[in-house]
Amino acid sequence: MRDKPQLPGHIQAAIDRNLARQNRDAFGRPADSAGATWEGRDLSGPGIDGSTNPLHAFDTDDGLADDAWTKVSQDLIDGNADEKDVFKVLEKIRVFAAVVPTVAETSHHTHVNHNGHEHTVESDKESDVALVSLTSADGRGALPVFTSIPKLTAWYKEARPVAVWMPRACLSAVDEGNELVVVDPGATLTYVVRRPAVYALAQQQQWTPAYEDVQIAQELSELTDLIPGLAQLAMAPGRGVATQTTDGTVVAGGGAGPELALVATPNDPSDTIGNKLMLSTLQTLIADQELLAQRADTVEIMLGSTG
């Protein structure tokens, strides 16, 4: 009778660690965290959102883009939708996060060859997976997500897709320290979801673009009388709200640049020195506006014209 083959030590050690962490019932059988044995358990039943698997919402997922996303992205390109319309779709769709394998623990073994020379061999003891993340032009972290598997593999063929609801993806982005979520990088339309919208999706709350936020406008209106030389302060979409498709079509939403423009109209456009002081004072005062900091991703100040 042949002896049972021996597994490599690091593999056997990993198996032993996993077995040691398993929950067991009173009779020593594998069980869940409540001590209920897995043996004989019936996991059949109706699934989530049409799935046949009660534990998985994406059992029947074909890996293609959701029809709602296809429609709203085309409407955005055609000028028939805006950022609010896109947000409403993102609240409800499945996306794919990209993960790659990583080494969680490495072992080093020293060997001596026949000449008496030592050399070290490095081998993986444990592996894990990690979310792929990006760094935006302004240095902030960004989580890429994809509306379909083909778009993910076209962007990074070594990555593996993990299906997740968009709000859950945004929650993971926040947990990982990312302020932005980039939808379909490298595709015809790449759409950037900025920090306030990411946070709103993660918390499943409503969101209004900063340039349409009435409460921000009310807060800023109180600053007008405090700034010498300022006649009027207005809000408008920032230059970074718009983006372009790969064929150069300008799209009014999904850009990564400044979200909110504050247009400061002076009492005297010809007073160059006075207007510089006005803009400097405005910049100092808005830095202390907590609501603005929370609801506006990035702000640019522009000098308006009285003409």
Side-chain angles (χ1 to χ4, degrees), residues 159-296:
R160 295 294 177 265
V162 175
V164 62
W165 296 119
M166 181 63 173
R168 179 64 185 176
C170 290
L171 184 60
S172 296
V174 175
D175 287 342
E176 294 285 331
N178 298 305
E179 293 190 1
L180 308 173
V181 172
V182 184
V183 181
D184 291 337
T188 300
L189 172 64
T190 296
Y191 191 94
V192 177
V193 186
R194 299 185 210 87
R195 173 182 53 83
V198 170
Y199 286 8
L201 284 167
Q203 299 174 74
Q204 299 184 51
Q205 296 178 348
Q206 296 300 307
W207 170 79
T208 299
Y211 48 84
E212 295 183 4
D213 195 312
V214 175
Q215 289 183 310
I216 291 179
Q218 291 174 341
E219 185 177 84
L220 293 176
S221 68
E222 299 174 0
L223 302 180
T224 306
D225 294 337
L226 303 178
I227 303 173
L230 177 63
Q232 182 181 358
L233 184 62
M235 301 193 313
R239 291 174 296 176
V241 170
T243 189
Q244 290 186 4
T245 62
T246 53
D247 64 5
T249 302
V250 177
V251 179
E259 176 191 14
L260 174 63
L262 298 182
V263 183
T265 302
N267 287 318
D268 183 1
S270 65
D271 185 1
T272 304
I273 296 177
N275 290 338
K276 287 183 178 180
L277 176 61
M278 176 195 69
L279 294 176
S280 176
T281 304
L282 174 59
Q283 185 172 6
T284 300
L285 290 177
I286 66 171
D288 295 327
Q289 302 301 306
E290 184 176 348
L291 185 68
L292 182 66
Q294 291 176 350
R295 297 188 183 181

Side-chain angles (χ1 to χ4, degrees), residues 26-215:
F27 300 98
R29 296 173 299 187
D32 62 18
S33 59
T37 181
W38 292 107
E39 184 178 350
R41 186 172 297 190
D42 182 8
L43 298 180
S44 63
I48 304 170
D49 292 339
S51 169
T52 59
N53 186 334
L55 305 178
H56 198 313
F58 312 108
D59 194 51
T60 59
D61 199 317
D62 60 6
L64 301 179
D66 190 292
D67 290 343
W69 173 258
T70 301
K71 182 179 186 306
V72 78
S73 57
Q74 187 60 54
D75 286 344
L76 189 66
I77 293 172
D78 294 340
N80 298 323
D82 58 20
E83 290 191 309
K84 298 189 299 296
D85 297 316
V86 175
F87 182 87
K88 291 176 182 177
V89 171
L90 292 177
E91 288 181 300
K92 302 173 183 178
I93 66 169
R94 173 274 295 133
V95 294
F96 292 99
V99 299
V100 292
T102 62
V103 177
E105 184 178 349
T106 304
S107 62
H108 301 270
H109 305 281
T110 301
H111 298 271
V112 180
N113 62 21
H114 67 280
N115 293 321
H117 298 295
E118 292 186 354
H119 66 280
T120 300
V121 177
E122 183 177 285
S123 61
D124 299 346
K125 290 183 66 178
E126 293 185 12
S127 62
D128 204 344
V129 293
L131 282 171
V132 176
S133 61
L134 305 171
T135 301
S136 65
D138 60 8
R140 292 186 291 172
L143 177 70
V145 298
F146 300 84
T147 56
S148 73
I149 292 178
K151 289 179 180 178
L152 184 153
T153 55
W155 181 74
Y156 190 4
K157 64 180 180 180
E158 285 81 14
R160 295 294 177 265
V162 175
V164 62
W165 296 119
M166 181 63 173
R168 179 64 185 176
C170 290
L171 184 60
S172 296
V174 175
D175 287 342
E176 294 285 331
N178 298 305
E179 293 190 1
L180 308 173
V181 172
V182 184
V183 181
D184 291 337
T188 300
L189 172 64
T190 296
Y191 191 94
V192 177
V193 186
R194 299 185 210 87
R195 173 182 53 83
V198 170
Y199 286 8
L201 284 167
Q203 299 174 74
Q204 299 184 51
Q205 296 178 348
Q206 296 300 307
W207 170 79
T208 299
Y211 48 84
E212 295 183 4
D213 195 312
V214 175
Q215 289 183 310

